Amino acid sequence: FLEIMSSLFEVVVLTASTEIYAGHVMNMLDPNNTLIHHRLFRQHCVPLCGTFVKDLRLLGRPMNSICLVDNSPVCLAVNPNNAILCSSYFGSQNDQELIDLMPILQQIRMVSSRTDDTIPRYLNERYGFAGFLNSQRNAYFELVELQRAAQAQMERDAQDV
């Protein structure tokens, strides 16, 4: 997977893990430092509400040419139109997640080579992750408003007693 992707893309691993842990894993995946072009760790993420998010704008690359593959929806929330959510890896020998993503990533390569199209537009049309996040945010704020209204009514009712 890494050999093929590194021939098509600038491969940047951006992880919320610490360098001491993730660096070891990356050394096993790319022992000759030829496949992963840049290695970025927790200190390159943005702390937000007790977690770390990945703000792709900080990479200094045009946003219309960046794609992030990650297993954490929270990490993808800052740049959802540049994101592909994948399942977590738990050590299974039968895991095919990255192999299954190869045709999509190859399609992204073709999209990014055309001047009239962008990766965010392609991913938004394919997955609609930004729309999903917005619907979740709206549902959350509606719930909060309903809870506030219910609390206010309970307080009014308690005063009437």
Side-chain angles (χ1 to χ4, degrees):
F1 175 81
L2 272 176
E3 288 176 12
I4 293 169
M5 292 301 108
S6 69
S7 71
L8 298 173
F9 300 102
E10 175 187 22
V11 175
V12 177
V13 174
L14 172 58
T15 178
S17 294
T18 60
E19 187 170 354
I20 195 161
Y21 167 74
H24 179 69
V25 172
M26 285 186 240
N27 287 338
M28 290 190 310
L29 294 172
D30 183 15
N32 298 320
N33 290 321
T34 58
L35 305 175
I36 301 171
H37 300 99
H38 303 284
R39 299 173 178 211
L40 303 173
F41 304 95
R42 179 173 290 174
Q43 66 266 27
H44 302 102
C45 296
V46 177
L48 180 67
C49 299
T51 190
F52 294 93
V53 296
K54 298 169 183 177
D55 187 349
L56 300 178
R57 297 170 297 187
L58 301 176
L59 294 176
R61 306 292 190 277
M63 290 301 292
N64 66 346
S65 66
I66 296 177
C67 173
L68 174 66
V69 176
D70 205 297
N71 66 327
S72 170
V74 173
C75 287
L76 303 175
V78 176
N79 309 110
N81 285 330
N82 294 78
I84 297 176
L85 184 62
C86 68
S87 59
S88 298
Y89 176 71
F90 294 108
S92 170
Q93 297 286 338
N94 299 320
D95 186 285
Q96 288 286 118
E97 185 76 10
L98 295 178
I99 300 303
D100 292 344
L101 281 175
M102 285 178 71
I104 296 164
L105 294 170
Q106 290 168 328
Q107 180 68 35
I108 285 172
R109 175 66 180 172
M110 290 191 309
V111 165
S112 68
S113 67
R114 297 192 306 250
T115 57
D116 64 333
D117 216 344
T118 66
I119 291 172
R121 182 173 26 191
Y122 172 80
L123 291 175
N124 187 46
E125 289 171 2
R126 183 171 179 95
Y127 296 110
F129 191 56
F132 170 75
L133 286 180
N134 284 332
S135 71
Q136 295 301 302
R137 278 188 206 110
N138 291 339
Y140 169 77
F141 289 126
E142 288 174 17
L143 179 62
V144 167
E145 189 56 39
L146 287 172
Q147 288 174 335
R148 285 182 184 153
Q151 181 67 33
Q153 184 62 48
M154 286 177 21
E155 289 172 4
R156 285 191 298 275
D157 291 347
Q159 290 174 353
D160 292 340
V161 173

